[in-house]
């Protein structure tokens, strides 16, 4: 049995533990949603494609806008009902490219990407889940304005949780793309990879989309083998995380490696190699001699790696 490592208090994962009650049963009540939208206590998260609009507030930022603030933003493209926080309605407000650009010039606003907001902690952790919900849903609306069956323009209904085709009557629902993200483990070693787009010195879990007709376990084994040449046996689910870039669900797993030789798929990865547990601990704690790191706590990879560092083979218990 591998020794347990004490890494200190566990940091919070990003985009999860939403405080919103989604209130799906109220989505078809247009009068109710309209009244909620006009309520001065309502919370509105404003998204322009990959960018999020924040209000400057002293030295910090607010993510939620009032209904009145929204009226002063200019033309908005889409409004979706995210849910209720106590009795207040929460909405996602989608902006087009020109409107987003125009807001970048306003001194009272800060327009930036969600990754920066999450990693730098620009807003409270409780704002990340509704922003993720809004961003993923609004991205779907922006990219699915026509019927996939007949090509006619579709209409947003049910608070933004469905698009209906007036021509062929098809109903379309927002998509979520499942992605497996896994740490392959061989005793006191784990397999980490680098994509060329990663920050210098950062190593992470391997990951890939689940394909149609595939279980999570099969996807873990296939993706690990394709990207690194390593075969895996046992797979254990760890935790999941919505990842709104644009609309993935990350399914975190630990996998038991049953082969060691690495053959890197250079179309997917810049490099992949085995790391010893002690070295990975220094990377996670930002104490590595070469400055190498693992992903920050906002990402599930951090927690998948951390769990293995803490309990070793206990992740398969
Ligand atoms: Zn249609």
């Amino acid at each position: 049995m591998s020794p347990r490592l004490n890494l200190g208090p566990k940091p919070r994962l990003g985009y999860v533990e939403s405080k919103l009650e989604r209130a799906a049963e109220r989505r078809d009540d247009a009068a109710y949603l309209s009244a909620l939208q006009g309520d001065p206590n309502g919370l509105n998260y404003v998204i322009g494609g990959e960018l999020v609009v924040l209000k400057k507030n002293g030295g910090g930022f607010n993510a939620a806008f009032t209904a009145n603030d929204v009226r002063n933003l200019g033309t908005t493209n889409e409004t979706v009902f995210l849910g209720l926080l106590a009795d207040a309605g929460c909405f996602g407000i989608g902006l087009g490219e020109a409107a987003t650009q125009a807001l970048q010039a306003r001194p009272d606003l800060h327009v930036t990407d969600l990754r920066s907001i999450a990693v730098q902690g620009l807003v409270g952790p409780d704002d990340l889940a509704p922003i993720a919900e809004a961003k993923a849903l609004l991205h779907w609306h922006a990219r699915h304005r026509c019927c996939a069956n007949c090509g006619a323009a579709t209409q947003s209904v049910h608070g933004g949780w469905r698009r209906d085709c007036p021509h062929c009557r098809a109903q379309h629902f927002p998509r979520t793309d499942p992605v497996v993200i896994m740490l392959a483990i061989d005793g006191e070693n784990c397999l980490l990879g680098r994509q060329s787009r990663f920050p210098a010195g950062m190593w992470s879990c391997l990951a890939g989309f689940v394909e149609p007709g595939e279980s999570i376990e099969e996807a873990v084994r296939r993706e690990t083998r394709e990207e690194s040449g390593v075969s895996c046996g046992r797979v254990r689910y760890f935790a999941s995380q919505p990842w709104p870039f644009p609309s993935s669900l990350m399914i975190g797993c630990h996998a038991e490696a049953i082969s060691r030789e690495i053959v890197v798929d250079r179309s997917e990865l810049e490099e992949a190699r085995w790391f010893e547990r002690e070295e990975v601990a220094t990377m996670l704690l930002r104490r590595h001699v070469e400055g190498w790191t693992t992903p920050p706590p906002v990402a599930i990879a951090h927690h998948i790696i951390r769990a293995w560092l803490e309990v070793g083979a206990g992740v398969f218990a």
Side-chain angles (χ1 to χ4, degrees), residues 147-152 154 165-170 172:
C147 178
N149 185 46
C150 77
T154 52
C165 177
H167 183 67
C168 76
R169 306 283 163 205
H172 303 280

Side-chain angles (χ1 to χ4, degrees), residues 1 13 28 36 40 55 57 64-65 73 79 103 106 123-124 129 144 156 171 194 197 209 216 220 241 247 249 293:
M1 195 71 187
L13 176 61
D28 60 355
L36 272 186
K55 278 197 293 187
N57 175 19
F65 289 64
L73 291 177
T79 298
L103 296 183
R106 267 181 48 175
V123 300
H144 295 81
S156 174
Q171 298 180 336
R194 265 192 59 74
R197 62 177 180 83
F209 287 104
I216 291 170
V220 165
Q241 174 188 34
S247 51
L249 173 67
T293 61

Side-chain angles (χ1 to χ4, degrees), residues 266-293:
R266 302 282 171 191
S267 66
E268 296 274 348
L269 294 177
E270 183 180 275
E271 190 56 271
R273 47 162 284 199
W274 293 101
F275 284 82
E276 287 189 8
R277 198 162 156 221
E278 312 282 309
E279 183 176 17
V280 179
T282 65
M283 291 160 71
L284 185 115
L285 295 169
R286 299 284 199 268
R287 292 177 196 156
H288 190 273
V289 284
E290 304 284 342
W292 288 2
T293 61

Side-chain angles (χ1 to χ4, degrees), residues 55-112:
K55 278 197 293 187
K56 288 183 185 165
N57 175 19
F61 302 98
N62 283 349
F65 289 64
T66 65
N68 200 36
D69 293 332
V70 172
R71 280 189 280 276
N72 293 325
L73 291 177
T75 310
T76 60
N77 275 11
E78 201 81 52
T79 298
V80 295
F81 174 54
L82 303 177
L84 298 170
L85 185 65
D87 290 332
C90 297
F91 294 87
I93 309 291
L95 303 177
E97 211 174 315
T100 310
Q101 270 179 7
L103 296 183
Q104 283 173 321
R106 267 181 48 175
D108 58 328
L109 302 175
H110 182 53
V111 183
T112 189

Side-chain angles (χ1 to χ4, degrees), residues 5-7 11 183 188-195 198-205 271-297 301-303 305-306 308-309:
L5 276 183
N6 183 0
L7 302 172
L183 187 68
E188 288 296 289
N189 295 271
C190 75
L191 179 67
L192 298 177
R194 265 192 59 74
Q195 294 178 20
F198 283 4
M202 192 183 91
W203 295 77
S204 187
C205 299
E271 190 56 271
R273 47 162 284 199
W274 293 101
F275 284 82
E276 287 189 8
R277 198 162 156 221
E278 312 282 309
E279 183 176 17
V280 179
T282 65
M283 291 160 71
L284 185 115
L285 295 169
R286 299 284 199 268
R287 292 177 196 156
H288 190 273
V289 284
E290 304 284 342
W292 288 2
T293 61
T294 54
H302 179 99
H303 299 260
I305 294 168
R306 186 185 180 99
W308 171 67
L309 291 174

